[in-house]
């Protein structure tokens, strides 16, 4: 992954890595786009993990109900408090 560290960019510009200002700006824009893309993918992966976890818990709960009967399983569910999923910030539409 390409990081946008001011010091690194400064050293690259002093070391003639960037031919002109346009090339430097293109590098910065590409790096920002890549960072945003990585964040989006990571958020999607986290959402998928959370969804799979809840589905797994529901499946286990249904299996428990089948084994013990609906009345007994309801009392065990009341004893256990469900873990609330942390809310993610929604990005502003652009």
């Amino acid at each position: 992954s390409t990081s946008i560290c001011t010091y690194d960019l400064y050293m690259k510009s002093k070391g003639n890595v960037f031919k002109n200002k346009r090339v430097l700006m293109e590098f910065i824009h590409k790096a920002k786009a890549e960072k945003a893309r990585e964040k989006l993918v990571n958020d999607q992966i986290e959402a998928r993990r959370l969804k799979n976890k809840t589905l797994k818990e529901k499946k286990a709960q249904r299996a428990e109900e089948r084994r013990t009967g609906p009345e007994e399983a309801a009392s065990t569910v009341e004893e256990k408090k469900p873990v609330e999923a942390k809310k993610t910030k929604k990005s502003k539409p652009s």
Side-chain angles (χ1 to χ4, degrees), residues 26-80:
E26 287 175 359
F27 179 84
I28 291 170
H29 289 283
K30 284 181 185 178
K32 283 185 178 181
E34 183 179 335
K35 186 176 180 183
R37 198 175 321 111
E38 286 177 3
K39 184 181 184 311
L40 180 66
V41 169
N42 287 338
D43 289 346
Q44 289 174 348
I45 291 170
E46 184 62 32
R48 189 177 303 123
R49 282 184 187 144
L50 185 62
K51 178 183 164 190
N52 289 341
K53 183 178 179 183
T54 57
L55 288 176
K56 192 175 182 180
E57 289 172 355
K58 285 181 183 179
K59 188 175 181 180
Q61 182 181 356
R62 284 195 306 266
E64 184 67 28
E65 280 183 15
R66 284 189 205 115
R67 276 187 258 135
T68 61
E71 297 82 23
E72 295 172 17
S75 63
T76 59
V77 170
E78 290 173 3
E79 292 172 6
K80 297 178 184 176

Side-chain angles (χ1 to χ4, degrees), residues 5-38:
C5 179
T6 309
Y7 179 74
D8 292 338
L9 291 176
Y10 173 76
M11 293 305 289
K12 285 182 179 183
S13 64
K14 285 298 177 183
N16 291 329
V17 173
F18 305 113
K19 186 166 79 172
N20 54 34
K21 187 176 180 179
R22 188 191 75 226
V23 176
L24 172 63
M25 294 302 288
E26 287 175 359
F27 179 84
I28 291 170
H29 289 283
K30 284 181 185 178
K32 283 185 178 181
E34 183 179 335
K35 186 176 180 183
R37 198 175 321 111
E38 286 177 3

